[in-house]
Amino acid sequence: MSVRSGESWTQLITTFRAGPTAFLLARGSDDTFLAELLQDLSSERISEQTKVSMLTLLLEFPTLLCPDPEVGEQVAGSLLANFAQLPHSPKLSWLRRHLLVVVGTVLISTEAFGEGSQASRDYLSLLLHLASDLNDQRQGPGDRGVRAAACESLRELECCYPGLFSRRLDSLRSMQQQELTPVHQGYTLLYSLALRNAVLLLARRGEGALSELLAGNEGLAWEAVGNAGEVSPASIDRLLLLPTPAETKELKSVLSQLLDDSYLLTPPAQGQLLWHLAQVLSVIRTQSPAIFKAQLVRLFGTAHVALLHASLQLKGLFTDSLFTAEDEAFLLRRLVGMAQHPSLPSPLKLFYLDCLLHFPENRPLGSGSEEGLPVLLTPRLASCLFPSLFNDPGTMLARLNLLSLVCLENQGPEAERGVGYIFEHVLALADTVAGKGGCEATGLFFRAAYLFARYFGSRPQLMAELTGTLVGLYRQRCSLAPNLINLLNETQAVLDDPAWPASLSKALQELTVGMPLLPPWEQELGWHLKLLARVAKESGVPQGSTLGFLQRLVRLAGAGQLGDWHIGQALLSVCRNLLQHQPPPAMGCQLAELLQDVSLSYPDVDVQDRARFYYTLLSCLSGDKLGAVLAPGGRLKARTLSSSIMADSENFAAALTVHPAPQPLLQLQREAPAKPTLVPAPAFQPCPADAQEVKDCCRQLLELHSPARLSLTYRLLHTGSSPERLFCLLLRFERSDNFYEPVPDVCVPCLSATRPSPVLTLHLQPRCPYPTELAVSALYTTQTGLTYCSQLEPLQVAFPDIFLPLALPVNWDCESRRHLFDTLWSSLCPDGSGDCAESLFCWPTTQQPLGVLVQAHFASYVVAEEVGTYKIAIALPPHYHVLLQAQGTQGAARVTIRTDNWKVLPHLSAYLRKVVE
């Protein structure tokens, strides 16, 4: 297998990313591409940047390229060998870092990591060896990035398998204390994570001493790989550890040293360290969280979001045992100030607003999982957060939500003024929609209207004014019907009292039915009917005016002025909702008359049929049965559907059901290809061909033509002990891979023991010249009228089944055919850049004489024959070729193979080995 160039790999990587699965299927198998990738990673012809791009494929698609743990371990071993061959050079540091990360990703993703895996043990030994090079003593500063990657890889393993390094805490702490370079941060985070997991495991198991844990340096806890889910930070509240005073003192010294050095870390790393140590203290109740008190001064004075989040995490975990009331008030004022700071980007402001809605109070009143306001957040404090029209949509809605909660949960003149300001802001957004605002302005207004209705839906005066605004907008723009329908649905779902959605529905109904009907109908009538269909779901809204409006439409349709299919379907959607949600006695006669008029006078036949169906339901079913039938996706009881137009017939239901066959009754038996009948060939004299004719014929044979089709013949047999007649047999074929085009179904009218078994021909269109397996299922009807489905034995398409002879000229003499074969042989000579390849297969003639083998298996493909030598040419659909030169020498037979698709060589070798044996 030749090494590709860097440009070739760049194109391959781009193609792979565009469609990984399709790329691998087109190449035949996953392992060939993976083998190429691993081989070329050790090539010196490819640059380091290209190799890193190749490694990213294993980072992003590890399970696709390594489908099982065995492959994952083999790939990890190959990458480790590649890593060992790379010299310690700063130029190769980037590549070596990626190799470390990729090996860990492959082992973890494919679930190959474990004590029984040699690659896992080698990988861990390598990481620990690299991490032990403290302060660049062995390899120098040029290898510092590799050490940092090793620490990150160790931390990833500890994160995926909590407790893996629980027996090495002493050595990890020693390395963390001795490291003085910037890589110190990686050692610190590794030790803090291992310490947290070890303490949680100790508290969960209840066995062992904390002092032994801190001083442990025995080895690796491989059992953590099988118990990866045993430690969960979410279960900290249920864990408890009570160490001795001496152990508590020792732990306090460890924590103090980590906290004193935490200022050397980056803010995100500091936040992670503080959270790990806080989780340790939350389990060990003998140590006070006041150890964090010195850190709070520094955390309160920073503007970094990660450290502020760490402060909130500590507050949520320790509440008033660490934070005083003054600290809580300061944090709250800090969040309010940061949420409206003009120099901060919008995502950060939204984060601070969310922190206010989930603020961890010292004495929380609720569970904290839902949105809620802290008690200290008053309307006066939140007054600076009122939105303006210059805010982006996300910030504006978040502020509206927060301030609505503030005004809802507080009383007094300040809260009332806040409600008025919020309502004025919602009306201002409505003015932007009325002023031909775009989709963004429309969506923003309806979201704001939903928030206002959600929190202040019980204020009749304000909601009546909002209703008038919405009705005015719909009068101006009928295309707002979907927005209004969505607003009705959402507010009805959240409001305890659905009075306002019903009031808005009634107002919109009055507006809609009072509008004049003027052509062109399609522009506005469709929106009106959608809105009326939603209003029809409101049981508290009278629907007489809606029926009158629909009658007007039917009369227009009868007069030929209206008759569009879409309008008819929308009209019947209103009728359906009236049938389902309105009581039939109240409007049964009017609706029945309307449906009958539609079924008789509407121009569209489909609309007439559906109206006739609704009329039948209305006249034959009671109210509860009618609602059950029309309910979308509801589970209906059998007795609900029993009526005068629905007869329960078990025989009818059984006839419509496909039953699984109790036992397989059918079998497909392969038929040997029919031998050609000997017909006297026309008399012609073999003639020689000149060199140009041979070249033209060779070019035509190797050109890409329309793919050839394979035809395999089978006989359908009945395998039952007492064969019965089967009717309307449908055989379906499912592929086990993507090497062939879909196989069409085969129909057999009848299968009877009194008639000859039918012979079926399957036409296969190969995409790749590989063997395959077809799963076969049969659908048939018995003499009892029941339909059964049965699985047949899968069909094996072997490699020789796809052999086809070359289309050679029939009137050429032997010398011309030999010259043609030699030209084809030269054309398939491998040059290292394409897919052509050459191979050799040998066996002793005592095992199988060469002539016997050729006559038995390759007689149809012999192009030329000399003394002891056979020249064989085989075509492999869709457009590949295999050439064989077989000759016997000194008690052995040798077959030289050339092909234009090297991927078929394993299949060909296996076939030759089989026929020889």
Side-chain angles (χ1 to χ4, degrees):
M1 199 182 304
S2 59
V3 178
R4 296 181 181 271
S5 63
E7 293 78 7
S8 177
W9 269 111
T10 302
Q11 296 176 358
L12 271 182
I13 292 171
T14 304
T15 308
F16 183 91
R17 291 182 186 279
T21 305
F23 176 87
L24 294 177
L25 289 175
R27 295 182 66 85
S29 59
D30 306 349
D31 52 352
T32 55
F33 176 69
L34 185 61
E36 288 183 59
L37 189 145
L38 295 176
Q39 174 191 340
D40 291 359
L41 278 174
S42 58
S43 172
E44 297 181 356
R45 294 171 50 188
I46 301 178
S47 65
E48 281 68 31
Q49 184 176 1
T50 304
K51 290 181 180 180
V52 170
S53 300
M54 294 161 63
L55 288 173
T56 55
L57 297 183
L58 286 168
L59 276 177
E60 298 174 15
F61 310 97
T63 55
L64 187 63
L65 293 173
C66 309
D68 52 65
E70 290 77 12
V71 177
E73 183 173 2
Q74 293 173 5
V75 170
S78 175
L79 294 176
L80 287 174
N82 199 340
F83 182 90
Q85 295 173 2
L86 294 176
H88 296 276
S89 169
K91 182 181 177 181
L92 299 175
S93 175
W94 191 32
L95 177 59
R96 298 178 72 214
R97 279 180 278 171
H98 276 80
L99 278 171
L100 289 178
V101 176
V102 169
V103 173
T105 301
V106 169
L107 288 174
I108 295 172
S109 302
T110 60
E111 299 180 357
F113 187 82
E115 186 177 9
S117 167
Q118 182 63 40
S120 301
R121 295 196 298 270
D122 294 343
Y123 179 58
L124 265 178
S125 299
L126 174 63
L127 294 179
L128 293 173
H129 174 73
L130 293 172
S132 64
D133 181 20
L134 301 176
N135 300 312
D136 307 321
Q137 294 177 356
R138 291 197 300 265
Q139 302 300 335
D143 223 30
R144 187 176 297 169
V146 179
R147 283 201 302 127
C151 289
E152 290 298 320
S153 299
L154 289 171
R155 189 154 63 97
E156 185 70 20
L157 290 173
E158 176 65 24
C159 185
C160 294
Y161 309 108
L164 181 63
F165 301 110
S166 59
R167 298 175 185 169
R168 299 182 65 97
L169 291 183
D170 184 59
S171 62
L172 292 179
R173 186 189 180 194
S174 175
M175 288 192 294
Q176 183 266 335
Q177 289 177 322
Q178 297 178 47
E179 182 63 37
L180 302 177
T181 68
V183 191
H184 171 80
Q185 174 172 290
Y187 289 91
T188 302
L189 293 180
L190 172 61
Y191 176 65
S192 66
L193 178 63
L195 176 64
R196 184 204 68 174
N197 291 338
V199 170
L200 293 184
L201 275 174
L202 183 64
R204 180 176 180 82
R205 295 171 181 172
E207 299 177 358
L210 182 60
S211 58
E212 297 176 358
L213 190 70
L214 295 176
N217 198 11
E218 300 176 2
L220 298 172
W222 286 102
E223 63 273 11
V225 177
N227 304 322
E230 187 175 357
V231 174
S232 173
S235 62
I236 288 181
D237 296 339
R238 300 190 296 271
L239 300 179
L240 176 64
L241 187 62
L242 300 174
T244 63
E247 292 174 336
T248 304
K249 184 177 180 180
E250 184 180 0
L251 177 66
K252 182 178 179 180
S253 66
V254 172
L255 299 182
S256 299
Q257 184 264 330
L258 290 173
L259 290 173
D260 291 342
D261 296 342
S262 63
Y263 72 94
L264 298 172
L265 311 182
T266 62
Q270 290 183 50
Q272 197 169 6
L273 174 65
L274 289 172
W275 181 236
H276 288 163
L277 301 185
Q279 289 177 312
V280 172
L281 278 188
S282 66
V283 174
I284 301 177
R285 306 297 171 85
T286 58
Q287 174 61 52
S288 170
I291 192 174
F292 291 104
K293 201 68 177 179
Q295 303 296 323
L296 292 183
V297 178
R298 183 168 56 88
L299 295 178
F300 284 170
T302 181
H304 201 283
V305 63
L307 297 181
L308 181 60
H309 184 258
S311 304
L312 294 174
Q313 283 184 311
L314 292 175
K315 192 175 187 310
L317 198 57
F318 298 118
T319 62
D320 56 353
S321 60
L322 181 59
F323 289 79
T324 64
E326 291 77 10
D327 296 336
E328 184 176 54
F330 175 80
L331 264 180
L332 199 59
R333 290 195 301 271
R334 182 73 181 276
L335 286 174
V336 172
M338 300 297 284
Q340 52 87 35
H341 200 286
S343 64
L344 291 179
S346 295
L348 272 184
K349 294 180 183 179
L350 291 175
F351 168 73
Y352 292 126
L353 288 172
D354 191 72
C355 290
L356 286 172
L357 289 173
H358 300 87
F359 187 77
E361 297 182 271
N362 283 349
R363 299 183 182 277
L365 301 178
S367 62
S369 59
E370 297 181 356
E371 289 184 351
L373 289 179
V375 177
L376 297 179
L377 187 59
T378 61
R380 181 184 296 274
L381 180 59
S383 59
C384 60
L385 294 177
F386 275 101
S388 69
L389 294 177
F390 299 102
N391 294 131
D392 61 274
T395 303
M396 183 184 298
L397 292 172
R399 290 190 176 190
L400 272 177
N401 184 45
L402 177 68
L403 290 170
S404 298
L405 279 171
V406 171
C407 297
L408 182 67
E409 297 185 5
N410 290 273
Q411 297 180 355
E414 292 182 351
E416 291 299 322
R417 284 197 298 271
V419 174
Y421 183 85
I422 292 173
F423 186 66
E424 290 177 2
H425 186 78
V426 173
L427 295 182
L429 293 176
D431 291 339
T432 62
V433 177
K436 305 299 181 183
C439 295
E440 184 177 358
T442 301
L444 180 60
F445 162 69
F446 277 96
R447 290 185 178 93
Y450 163 76
L451 289 175
F452 188 84
R454 176 183 179 182
Y455 293 117
F456 308 109
S458 58
R459 303 198 176 200
Q461 183 177 356
L462 295 179
M463 298 310 296
E465 190 172 351
L466 180 61
T467 299
T469 302
L470 292 169
V471 170
L473 287 176
Y474 183 70
R475 181 185 293 109
Q476 184 178 353
R477 292 175 56 186
C478 296
S479 59
L480 297 178
N483 303 84
L484 288 167
I485 292 172
N486 181 258
L487 179 63
L488 287 170
N489 294 335
E490 297 301 324
T491 53
Q492 195 168 47
V494 298
L495 291 179
D496 297 331
D497 183 11
W500 183 74
S503 174
L504 177 60
S505 299
K506 185 175 181 180
L508 292 171
Q509 180 198 44
E510 292 175 356
L511 171 67
T512 302
V513 300
M515 284 186 174
L517 297 176
L518 300 174
W521 315 100
E522 292 78 7
Q523 293 183 1
E524 298 182 355
L525 189 54
W527 299 123
H528 294 337
L529 291 174
K530 285 181 180 293
L531 192 58
L532 288 177
R534 173 59 185 84
V535 173
K537 297 181 180 180
E538 297 291 339
S539 57
V541 177
Q543 302 295 330
S545 58
T546 298
L547 287 173
F549 180 78
L550 298 181
Q551 288 283 4
R552 291 163 55 194
L553 294 182
V554 175
R555 285 195 292 270
L556 288 173
Q561 302 180 24
L562 188 68
D564 183 69
W565 180 87
H566 297 281
I567 298 298
Q569 296 297 324
L571 185 149
L572 290 178
S573 297
V574 182
C575 297
R576 176 195 175 93
N577 289 343
L578 291 174
L579 283 170
Q580 184 177 355
H581 298 281
Q582 303 297 329
M587 33 154 276
C589 296
Q590 285 182 280
L591 185 57
E593 182 180 354
L594 172 66
L595 291 171
Q596 193 171 23
D597 290 344
V598 174
S599 65
L600 295 176
S601 60
Y602 202 85
D604 189 85
V605 177
D606 186 36
V607 176
Q608 291 182 13
D609 292 341
R610 188 177 170 191
R612 193 174 297 112
F613 173 67
Y614 287 161
Y615 176 80
T616 305
L617 293 179
L618 179 61
S619 58
C620 298
L621 297 182
S622 61
D624 56 341
K625 295 178 182 178
L626 188 61
V629 170
L630 296 175
R635 294 189 176 183
L636 311 178
K637 297 181 180 179
R639 65 183 302 273
T640 305
L641 297 177
S642 58
S643 66
S644 58
I645 62 169
M646 293 183 178
D648 284 333
S649 173
E650 294 184 0
N651 295 332
F652 182 71
L656 295 180
T657 305
V658 177
H659 306 274
Q663 59 183 0
L665 299 178
L666 301 172
Q667 178 185 2
L668 283 175
Q669 181 179 3
R670 181 70 181 273
E671 290 285 298
K675 296 183 179 180
T677 306
L678 296 177
V679 180
F684 61 85
Q685 185 69 27
C687 60
D690 57 24
Q692 185 61 39
E693 290 178 337
V694 171
K695 290 182 180 180
D696 293 342
C697 183
C698 176
R699 187 182 66 255
Q700 292 177 4
L701 291 175
L702 295 180
E703 283 180 350
L704 294 179
H705 300 288
S706 57
R709 189 173 65 170
L710 301 177
S711 297
L712 304 181
T713 304
Y714 294 87
R715 186 174 294 276
L716 182 61
L717 302 176
H718 202 303
T719 61
S721 57
S722 56
E724 59 176 326
R725 297 180 68 185
L726 304 179
F727 303 95
C728 300
L729 289 92
L730 179 67
L731 299 179
R732 292 175 175 170
F733 304 89
E734 295 184 7
R735 301 164 295 166
S736 59
D737 45 54
N738 206 32
F739 297 154
Y740 289 77
E741 297 289 342
V743 183
D745 299 341
V746 176
C747 297
V748 178
C750 179
L751 180 64
S752 174
T754 60
R755 298 182 181 180
S757 299
V759 177
L760 312 178
T761 302
L762 298 186
H763 300 290
L764 304 181
Q765 183 71 60
R767 295 174 178 171
C768 302
Y770 308 136
T772 189
E773 182 180 271
L774 299 176
V776 188
S777 62
L779 197 70
Y780 56 85
T781 303
T782 62
Q783 290 178 299
T784 60
L786 299 181
T787 302
Y788 290 90
C789 181
S790 173
Q791 288 293 132
L792 280 68
E793 289 291 329
L795 301 182
Q796 304 293 335
V797 180
F799 186 59
D801 290 336
I802 60 178
F803 289 0
L804 293 176
L806 291 184
L808 303 177
V810 296
N811 58 342
W812 280 12
D813 58 6
C814 294
E815 186 64 28
S816 300
R817 295 164 68 92
R818 186 179 301 107
H819 187 195
L820 174 63
F821 182 88
D822 294 339
T823 306
L824 289 170
W825 185 266
S826 301
S827 301
L828 300 188
C829 179
D831 55 0
S833 59
D835 290 333
C836 295
E838 184 172 348
S839 182
L840 185 67
F841 185 84
C842 302
W843 74 92
T845 53
T846 57
Q847 188 177 4
Q848 178 76 273
L850 177 62
V852 175
L853 184 140
V854 171
Q855 291 301 323
H857 301 282
F858 298 102
S860 303
Y861 314 108
V862 176
V863 177
E865 180 179 352
E866 298 176 355
V867 179
T869 302
Y870 299 91
K871 298 188 176 185
I872 303 168
I874 302 173
L876 298 179
H879 40 68
Y880 299 106
H881 308 83
V882 171
L883 302 181
L884 309 175
Q885 287 201 65
Q887 62 182 126
T889 55
Q890 298 180 357
R894 183 182 67 183
V895 177
T896 307
I897 307 168
R898 280 190 182 181
T899 179
D900 51 3
N901 185 355
W902 60 268
K903 298 175 187 177
V904 304
L905 290 177
H907 303 291
L908 183 59
S909 298
Y911 173 65
L912 290 175
R913 193 177 299 111
K914 179 180 178 182
V915 298
V916 166
E917 294 174 355

